């Protein structure tokens, strides 16, 4: 399997904290080791660089503890970037910060008309854009994604609040297939996933509960939480090379490797 070199956007967790709870993983009364969070994030960045990927950085903003989760900063395909609109007021001010970064980097920026949490809920697999809804990204925003990017959008309904973003329940492995937790999806969405990806890797609840599906693939390697040992073994059986990273501190906010990573180069926008 060939690895495709990637260009990612990341945000150092300089101001990381768990000060509020907007998903079931977050407990503001539990201790968080902010220095450890930064070291773990540095290790993730180093892992990408060692794989030959490019990592761009956006400046963290004081008072925005979740800004480390760059996947929620936008959806980027080709030279187009769709900015985001967060469901929760605590994250609202991240949207203009990411928007400004896309503009400065030369992307053609589109503004969301509805709640849309970027690549947390929008994943490109070959010629399909998979879009999650149920907790964060609003269903009507899926139609706007299709208009902006010119890819057919496949709506997937998330049903388990622990897997509130699509990227906590499904990993893109390469242009043809994915790994996912069937229980995180409605019956109809499970049927859609079976139809589109008959060869998909089915993850277990144990792997999903350590955010194992919040992983980043480049076609050959899969960077995933080190604790997701069952999923890693399944992926190796399929010929992928797995690289475990420990993001235990960031998991206290409900995030893993994919949440910290926004893809900047993928597919081609229409026209
Ligand atoms: N605390 C953040 C939130 O609840 C975590 C975001 C994780 N990001 C992701 N792409 N799944 O919004």
């Amino acid at each position: 399997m060939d690895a495709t070199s990637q260009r990612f956007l990341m945000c150092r967790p300089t101001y990381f904290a768990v000060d509020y709870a907007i998903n079931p993983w977050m407990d503001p009364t539990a201790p968080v080791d902010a220095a450890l969070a930064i070291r773990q994030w540095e290790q993730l960045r180093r892992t990408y660089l060692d794989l030959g990927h490019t990592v761009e950085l956006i400046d963290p903003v004081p008072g925005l503890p979740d800004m480390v989760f760059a996947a929620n900063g936008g959806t980027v395909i080709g030279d187009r970037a769709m900015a985001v609109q967060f469901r929760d007021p605590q994250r609202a001010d991240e949207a203009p910060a990411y928007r400004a970064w896309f503009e400065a980097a030369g992307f053609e920026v589109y503004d969301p008309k509805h709640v849309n949490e970027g690549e947390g809920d929008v994943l490109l697999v070959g010629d399909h854009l998979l879009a999650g809804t149920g907790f964060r990204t609003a269903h009507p925003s899926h139609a706007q994604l299709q208009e902006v990017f010119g890819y057919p959008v496949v709506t997937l309904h998330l049903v388990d609040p622990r897997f509130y973003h699509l990227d906590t329940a499904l990993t893109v492995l390469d242009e043809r297939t994915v790994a996912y937790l069937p229980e995180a999806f409605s019956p109809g969405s499970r049927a859609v996933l079976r139809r589109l990806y008959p060869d998909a890797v089915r993850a277990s609840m144990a792997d999903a509960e350590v955010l194992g599906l919040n992983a980043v693939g480049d076609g050959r390697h899969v960077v995933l939480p080190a604790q997701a040992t069952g999923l890693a073994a399944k992926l190796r059986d399929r010929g992928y090379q797995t690289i475990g990273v420990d993001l235990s501190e960031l998991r206290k906010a409900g995030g893993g490797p994919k949440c910290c990573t926004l893809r900047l180069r993928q597919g081609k926008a229409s026209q």
Side-chain angles (χ1 to χ4, degrees):
M1 278 182 274
D2 288 335
T4 310
S5 124
Q6 310 281 318
R7 184 174 167 225
F8 296 134
L9 177 63
M10 297 180 74
C11 179
R12 191 183 308 275
T14 311
Y15 306 107
F16 178 67
V18 179
D19 293 339
Y20 50 79
I22 56 173
N23 70 53
W25 304 82
M26 301 176 87
D27 174 2
T29 65
V32 172
D33 185 337
L36 179 57
I38 293 175
R39 288 202 297 281
Q40 292 178 333
W41 177 91
E42 287 290 0
Q43 182 57 37
L44 176 65
R45 176 165 167 265
R46 174 63 26 221
T47 301
Y48 292 143
L49 296 176
D50 289 347
L51 288 170
H53 303 318
T54 302
V55 178
E56 310 271 357
L57 296 175
I58 178 172
D59 288 335
V61 176
L64 297 177
D66 273 338
M67 193 171 167
V68 57
F69 301 117
N72 300 125
T75 302
V76 180
I77 301 177
D79 57 4
R80 296 183 182 185
M82 186 151 145
V84 296
Q85 184 180 315
F86 285 93
R87 180 195 69 176
D88 299 289
Q90 293 94 332
R91 297 196 67 185
D93 289 345
E94 295 178 42
Y98 278 97
R99 191 191 191 289
W101 191 91
F102 297 133
E103 288 235 301
F107 289 97
E108 200 178 317
V109 181
Y110 293 80
D111 288 310
K113 299 196 184 94
H114 309 274
V115 170
N116 183 312
E117 298 201 357
E119 257 204 23
D121 275 323
V122 186
L123 298 170
L124 183 69
V125 192
D127 281 335
H128 288 106
L129 258 188
L130 304 185
T133 191
F135 298 102
R136 301 292 183 89
T137 297
H139 192 200
S141 79
H142 294 186
Q144 190 187 359
L145 285 160
Q146 180 161 294
E147 285 306 308
V148 167
F149 294 112
Y151 278 85
V153 170
V154 177
T155 289
L156 297 171
H157 290 277
L158 295 162
V159 297
D160 183 329
R162 289 172 302 169
F163 309 113
Y164 56 95
H165 277 139
L166 181 61
D167 71 359
T168 62
L170 184 143
T171 306
V172 182
L173 295 173
D174 56 38
E175 294 202 339
R176 284 171 308 279
T177 201
V178 300
Y180 68 99
L181 176 75
E183 297 93 311
F185 296 92
S186 68
S189 297
R190 284 185 216 181
V192 167
L193 288 168
R194 280 198 301 273
R195 197 180 292 276
L196 281 177
Y197 310 111
D199 299 328
V201 174
R202 310 282 186 91
S204 68
M205 186 55 89
D207 286 319
E209 281 176 337
V210 290
L211 284 178
L213 287 161
N214 197 252
V216 179
D218 66 10
R220 178 169 190 210
H221 310 98
V222 183
V223 177
L224 79 172
Q227 295 81 1
T229 50
L231 179 59
K234 283 184 192 170
L235 294 173
R236 284 195 297 272
D237 281 349
R238 296 288 190 99
Y240 295 97
Q241 215 169 302
T242 59
I243 300 158
V245 290
D246 186 7
L247 290 185
S248 60
E249 293 310 298
L250 295 167
R251 194 164 69 226
K252 294 175 180 171
K258 176 66 193 76
C259 299
C260 297
T261 312
L262 178 67
R263 279 181 212 267
L264 292 175
R265 190 195 289 139
Q266 50 172 229
K268 298 211 185 325
S270 65
Q271 288 133 42

